[in-house]
Structures are given as C-alpha cells and as structure tokens.
Amino acid sequence: MKGKAVIALVIMESDRVLHPLGVLYLGDALKKAGYDVRLFNVFPEGIPSAAREIAAIKPLFVGISTLTGLQTEKSYEITKAIKAIDKSIKIVWGGVHPSMLPEDCLKDEDIDIVSIGEGEELIVDLADSFLRGSALNGVKGIGHKSAGSNIINPARDFISNLDLYEPDWTLIDAEKCISVLPDGRRQIDFITSRGCPHRCAFCYNQKFNKRRWRKHSYEYVIEKLGYLNKKHGVRAIQLHDDNFFVDMPRAFRILEKMQEMDIANTNCMIRLEALNTDILKKLRALGTRRIFVGWESGNDRVLKFINKDLTKDTILKQFELLADFPDIAVTAAGIIGFPTETWEEICETIDLGIKLAEMVPSTVVEYQTFLPYPGSHLYDIAIKSGYKAPENITGYGKFNVYGTDMDLTWLPWANKNTKEIFNRIDKYGKLLTHSKSSSPVRSCAKELFYRLSKARLRSRHFAFPWEIWVLYNFNRYYNPKSPF
C-alpha cells in the first residue's frame, strides 16, 4: 500500500531561515498520491545525523533537490553518507543542477536517478514505478542506469495546471521559514508563477523553462495567502517569481488584494524597461517596499552580447523615473566578468552602478560575479573561452557568486586575485546605499561609508579593505546573517 511506502525528501540549507518551497510542492504531490512523505531540511553540520535518520526509515527512495554550487557539493556529501549506511537505498537527484547536467550526475555511482525539469508529476510516476517494481524506461523526464549504461528517457511535458499543486507547509516547521521584519510583520517566501519569457544569455531559464511563463490562478494565489495569514500570522511576502509582472493586470490584481488583506509586498522582481510612471504610482499606492531590477552592465556591447534587450541610456532613463519615487527601495543587480568582457568594460559597469546610487540613494547596488551556469547560453561560450567545468560533483563547492576561490578561467586576462577583487567590488557596491535612516547616527554612518565606497570604486583601489572588515564585525555582532 502507498500509505506504508515512505519517501524521504532532502534539501540542503545554508541559512538559518529555510527556503524549501520547491520541495514542499513535491511533498504535496506525493501526499495527494497516497505516499508517506518525510522532509529533511539539512544544514552541513547535520549531515551525519540526518543520514542515519533517513536510513532508519527505510525509504522507497530519497529525493534530493539541488542547485548548482555549494548546495551541489553538500547534497553529494549527504548522498555519500546515506549510501555508506545502506547501499541499497535509491538516491534520486532533482532540481536545476541535475536537470541541466543529467549525464554528469549519473556518472557517480551513488546517484541512481536524476529528475529533469519540474517534478510534481514526475516524482509520483517514479514512486509508482518503484512500488510496482516495474522498469523505469516508461517514466518520462528521468535519467537512470540500466545494464551498465546511463539512459535519458524522453522529456516530460510541462504541467498543464499549476493549481493542482501547492507547498505543503505541514511537512515542516513553518516557523523556521518565517522571518520577522523590524516593524514586527512576519514574512515568508511565496511564488505565483514559473519561468520567464525573456532571453538573458546568463540564465538557466531558457533551457529549464524553455522561455515559457506559467501562472497560478488569481483565486489560487489569494487562497494560499489567506491560509498563510490565518494559520501562521504572515503579513509580509517576498515574491520569488522569476518574473512576477509578465501579466501586469494579474500582478496588480494580486497586489491590490494583498493590500486589502494587510499583507505587505516587501520585494518582487520586475524588468527595468517595464517601469513607467503609472506602474510606479500603482506600486507605491499598493505599499510595495522594494523592487529588484537587473541592469547587468554599463557597456552597450556587453548588454547586447548577453541578450539583455537594454541599453545604457534606457537604464539611466528608468532610474530617472525611480528617483521620483524615493519610498520604493531598489535592489539593482549588475554582473561583472562575462566571457569576452574586458577590465575597461567592467569599469563602465562599476561607474554606472555609482551613478544609479547617486540618482536613487535607496539603491542597493550589486556587482555579482558572472558564473557559467549549466544550461545557459553563456555556459557554452565560457567553455570555448577556456572554462573547464568541475571534473566531479565536489568541484562545484567553489562555484559561488560571493566566494573568492574560483578561478575565472573564461577571462584570459584574469589572475588568481581577480575573484577576490570582484568580491570586494560587490561589497563596496552594497555600501553605496545612503538613503536617510530613522536614526541620525545611522544616517551619518551610511553617508560616510557611501562616500568611502564611492571613492574606492572610482579609484579602483581595493587593497586593505578596512571598511568591509569594520562592517563585517559590526554586523556579525548585531546580525549573524548579514552578507558582510
């Protein structure tokens, strides 16, 4: 019977606030199909004990969700730990990383199956096949091992009705997924749609979602928000849609209802070119506190190269608009280190970031380091430019936007210190925010660090970063989860 078949779902975490939305969707699908689901949110230090607990429940299989990067390495560690206890336990990897590199994952003897693409319907089919003891050849969307060979089955169609599935918050202690804002509001992550129709060359979405955008219905979204509000006292939402505003009327209808429910929209992503005065007025009237925009580069050649469909002039014009709405904070994401990019072009991006912070003082400027994510168009170009993908899964532990020990081999002019310099550029960028604070002392401190950081970035002098050291120690004392 299905009810007696236990399936263990695992997600490796690095933060103290959990973000398990994707796995909660899978758990919901399995429970609706009649399976007993156990979810394990595991931090690196808890791998040995989690592996013992998982092995003890004798699961039908263990599903491990992973992204490319440190999470890949840690997912591999718990895979090895489980197999060391009981080699017969089947390990299934799902998520973005195995979806992009299924053959590479299957090369490892301890990874038995990979799930390719979205997994709600796939994981139920897979569980049913395990329960029946039938061959896996008929399960669309997986890669598996057969007679000493690695087999990739035919692809699975996208789910036609996303409303059939939802995050099952009963699988986890929801309190650990909630953060408390300074105003006392309880905040949680939420998604209303999947995918993005745009063609940014650095993004996995072109391959994973095939540039398709699909949505939950308005009624579904409001019902689930109401549940979180009543059951867990949630009064603030961080929207993690890849692109919430593809359907503008729907997006604003949801935001209007959220305001009526007294649920704040604390952060959402919107394409920079989509902004206009009317949209910003609506966002302000509906209490949107922060928006996330990607501007990526300050050089027109690079913007064209990465298919951003923006120009430097458009970026500046849009920030002129944002300057008229100082009560909407902005996180503005740039990227440095693209394949073919020169240091001089990176300096243009640095200078444009400074300009954006001057125009909108509340802007948090990010200078993320480009990484060649598998599945993106730029991954192939990076390979041609000299990048060598890790030879094994553990090598992805260095694959970190904010880390400093990855060699940027796709940039012929980079050396062993370049990633450290890029990391410091990003930290100084985050110090450019200098909007007024409620505390005069804090306002003065922000202004001081803004001026110091601007001077650093303009002079390209990143040695002896004492400002970063001071803030790191100050923030670690008051806020252990600070990025500094």
Side-chain angles (χ1 to χ4, degrees):
M1 293 179 60
K2 288 183 178 181
K4 294 182 179 180
V6 180
I7 296 172
L9 298 179
V10 177
I11 184 169
M12 295 301 305
E13 298 281 1
S14 59
D15 202 346
R16 293 300 103 181
V17 178
L18 308 182
H19 306 279
L21 277 174
V23 176
L24 294 180
Y25 270 93
L26 299 181
D28 174 67
L30 286 166
K31 284 180 65 175
K32 285 176 177 173
Y35 289 96
D36 181 0
V37 182
R38 313 285 176 87
L39 176 58
F40 297 83
N41 271 89
V42 184
F43 295 96
E45 65 274 14
I47 288 175
S49 60
R52 290 191 295 270
E53 189 175 350
I54 291 168
I57 65 175
K58 302 293 184 182
L60 189 63
F61 64 86
V62 180
I64 301 177
S65 178
T66 188
L67 297 169
T68 303
L70 182 61
Q71 192 183 58
T72 312
E73 180 187 38
K74 297 305 177 185
S75 296
Y76 184 63
E77 289 181 12
I78 195 166
T79 295
K80 299 291 284 186
I82 293 168
K83 286 286 194 177
I85 297 170
D86 187 344
K87 197 74 173 176
S88 69
I89 294 176
K90 297 297 184 182
I91 303 292
V92 181
W93 272 34
V96 174
H97 183 78
S99 293
M100 299 298 101
L101 297 173
E103 294 91 348
D104 281 8
C105 292
L106 287 172
K107 288 177 184 177
D108 190 272
E109 63 177 2
D110 289 327
I111 300 173
D112 300 297
I113 298 167
V114 294
S115 165
I116 304 168
E118 62 186 354
E120 287 87 351
E121 293 177 349
L122 183 158
I123 201 167
V124 173
D125 282 356
L126 181 62
D128 289 347
S129 292
F130 271 123
L131 197 62
R132 293 192 303 263
S134 56
L136 298 177
N137 294 335
V139 181
K140 290 185 176 180
I142 67 166
H144 60 103
K145 297 169 180 177
S146 177
S149 298
N150 295 332
I151 308 296
I152 304 298
N153 288 358
R156 178 177 290 268
D157 292 336
F158 286 119
I159 294 170
S160 59
N161 182 6
L162 293 182
D163 287 0
L164 294 174
Y165 306 102
E166 62 184 284
D168 186 341
W169 292 101
T170 66
L171 289 170
I172 195 170
D173 182 356
E175 290 298 311
K176 293 181 179 178
C177 303
I178 294 172
S179 58
V180 180
L181 302 178
D183 64 0
R185 286 179 179 259
R186 291 161 58 79
Q187 175 180 271
I188 204 165
D189 295 345
F190 194 81
I191 58 172
T192 78
S193 64
R194 296 181 185 181
C196 177
H198 294 278
R199 61 190 191 109
C200 300
F202 52 84
C203 183
Y204 77 96
N205 246 314
Q206 290 196 56
K207 186 172 181 180
F208 191 86
N209 285 301
K210 297 179 173 56
R211 291 181 63 187
R212 286 185 58 184
W213 181 81
R214 293 164 300 132
K215 63 186 178 182
H216 283 296
S217 68
Y218 166 82
E219 292 77 13
Y220 169 100
V221 172
I222 301 309
E223 179 187 344
K224 304 313 170 189
L225 288 175
Y227 167 82
L228 290 170
N229 177 256
K230 293 175 182 177
K231 181 72 174 180
H232 299 289
V234 169
R235 294 181 58 223
I237 294 293
Q238 281 200 109
L239 288 165
H240 280 265
D241 298 39
D242 289 318
N243 195 335
F244 176 64
F245 289 94
V246 172
D247 182 341
M248 282 282 183
R250 169 186 176 273
F252 280 110
R253 190 181 176 201
I254 290 171
L255 293 178
E256 287 166 2
K257 187 63 177 180
M258 285 174 59
Q259 185 182 55
E260 184 181 318
M261 299 167 70
D262 193 26
I263 298 176
N265 168 31
T266 57
N267 192 26
C268 57
M269 184 273 186
I270 187 169
R271 291 276 299 193
L272 191 57
E273 71 272 21
L275 295 172
N276 58 41
T277 300
D278 288 341
I279 286 173
L280 287 167
K281 284 181 178 178
K282 288 181 181 179
L283 288 173
R284 180 172 61 188
L286 292 170
T288 296
R289 299 185 180 186
R290 178 176 292 278
I291 58 174
F292 180 99
V293 298
W295 55 282
E296 320 313 350
S297 177
N299 177 271
D300 282 332
R301 183 200 72 83
V302 175
L303 287 166
K304 184 176 181 180
F305 174 69
I306 64 174
N307 298 331
K308 187 59 188 176
D309 297 329
L310 276 178
T311 65
K312 182 177 179 180
D313 283 345
T314 301
I315 295 168
L316 288 168
K317 287 177 182 177
Q318 294 303 87
F319 267 79
E320 288 175 4
L321 277 177
L322 286 166
D324 293 331
F325 296 85
D327 41 357
I328 300 177
V330 181
T331 298
I335 301 176
I336 55 177
F338 289 113
T340 78
E341 193 171 24
T342 66
W343 173 247
E344 290 72 23
E345 288 170 332
I346 288 173
C347 288
E348 290 184 57
T349 298
I350 293 171
D351 291 339
L352 181 56
I354 296 170
K355 179 66 175 176
L356 301 183
E358 290 174 341
M359 297 170 72
V360 183
S362 67
T363 302
V364 175
V365 176
E366 295 185 350
Y367 298 108
Q368 297 179 4
T369 299
F370 165 79
L371 293 181
Y373 283 101
S376 68
H377 175 62
L378 288 187
Y379 178 81
D380 297 327
I381 294 177
I383 294 288
K384 294 176 182 177
S385 299
Y387 170 63
K388 292 183 179 180
E391 294 181 358
N392 52 53
I393 293 172
T394 57
Y396 283 99
K398 295 181 179 180
F399 203 89
N400 185 352
V401 169
Y402 302 111
T404 60
D405 56 354
M406 184 174 179
D407 293 329
L408 310 182
T409 52
W410 57 91
L411 295 175
W413 51 268
N415 58 40
K416 63 180 182 180
N417 297 319
T418 303
K419 186 66 171 74
E420 174 64 40
I421 292 170
F422 283 8
N423 192 49
R424 292 179 185 179
I425 290 170
D426 180 59
K427 290 192 182 307
Y428 281 119
K430 289 184 171 71
L431 292 177
L432 290 173
T433 182
H434 59 292
S435 55
K436 298 295 182 183
S437 176
S438 57
S439 162
V441 174
R442 189 171 177 82
S443 294
C444 288
K446 288 171 68 176
E447 182 69 22
L448 171 64
F449 280 103
Y450 161 70
R451 292 177 180 274
L452 291 170
S453 297
K454 185 162 67 169
R456 285 274 200 175
L457 292 166
R458 280 182 170 164
S459 67
R460 327 296 187 210
H461 179 67
F462 307 114
F464 307 108
W466 62 268
E467 308 96 328
I468 294 173
W469 183 89
V470 168
L471 276 181
Y472 175 88
N473 286 279
F474 176 83
N475 284 329
R476 287 294 168 183
Y477 180 79
Y478 288 102
N479 179 13
K481 290 185 291 189
S482 169
F484 288 98

